[in-house]
Amino acid sequence: MKDIAITENHLYQKAFRRGQRWSGRFVTVCVLKDLHAKRLMKENPQKKYLNRIGLSVPKREGGAVERNRVKRILRAGLAEVRKKNTLKTGYLIVISTRPGVEKQKSTAIAAELQYIFKKLDMFVPSPGISNRTERETPQNTP
């Protein structure tokens, strides 16, 4: 499912100010519940909630060519993460880079995004896995 790109500056600022943040070696991820998710869901032909994703690469990473390459690496890493797991929907997700990301491969970025999304509790739990421990499971008594 394709996500919507964040294009307005105020949404980036809102995610940076109010969202949950987790930093890794190469990227920082800010996640905030999207207040307009219901309106976007109604406009969507599939009637499903969507995430709005923004990529932030500062000018200190280099010229336009280098920044666009970093964005392609981030998108490839995010696509790898989405193949393995399903992200929760209805959120603003801003991924900003840190120095040194331009030398990394998409697999390294994907591993870091996987770790960060797990820490931010952004993955939909698998239906077959129960959160109850053995001690809490009812025992059959004769």
Side-chain angles (χ1 to χ4, degrees), residues 12-136:
Y12 280 96
Q13 297 303 321
K14 190 183 289 190
F16 284 134
R17 270 189 256 123
R18 298 183 192 163
Q20 289 181 322
R21 181 184 307 230
W22 195 271
S23 295
R25 287 180 39 201
F26 308 119
V27 296
T28 299
V29 177
C30 298
V31 175
L32 181 66
K33 189 78 172 162
D34 193 358
L35 299 178
H36 293 286
K38 190 162 188 141
R39 176 183 55 87
L40 293 171
M41 186 250 323
K42 289 180 181 178
E43 293 174 1
N44 184 10
Q46 299 171 341
K47 302 300 181 205
K48 293 183 179 179
Y49 285 101
L50 299 174
N51 287 327
R52 293 200 276 177
I53 295 184
L55 303 175
S56 172
V57 182
K59 285 191 176 182
R60 69 173 176 255
E61 294 295 333
V65 174
E66 290 86 6
R67 290 196 309 270
N68 286 329
R69 180 179 182 279
V70 169
K71 288 179 187 179
R72 283 195 308 273
I73 291 170
L74 287 175
R75 285 189 200 103
L78 187 60
E80 265 185 65
V81 170
R82 297 180 115 198
K83 281 183 193 175
K84 296 177 185 175
N85 299 303
T86 304
L87 287 175
K88 292 180 181 177
T89 55
Y91 287 89
L92 292 172
I93 300 172
V94 176
I95 302 172
S96 62
T97 61
R98 300 185 69 181
V101 72
E102 68 278 353
K103 298 172 188 150
Q104 300 304 314
K105 302 282 184 191
S106 64
T107 53
I109 301 300
E112 186 160 304
L113 286 174
Q114 175 90 16
Y115 175 77
I116 291 173
F117 283 138
K118 185 176 179 183
K119 288 294 183 181
L120 290 171
D121 192 33
M122 283 297 294
F123 292 128
V124 175
S126 299
I129 298 175
S130 174
N131 291 334
R132 295 174 17 174
T133 61
E134 283 185 36
R135 197 176 44 200
E136 294 175 330

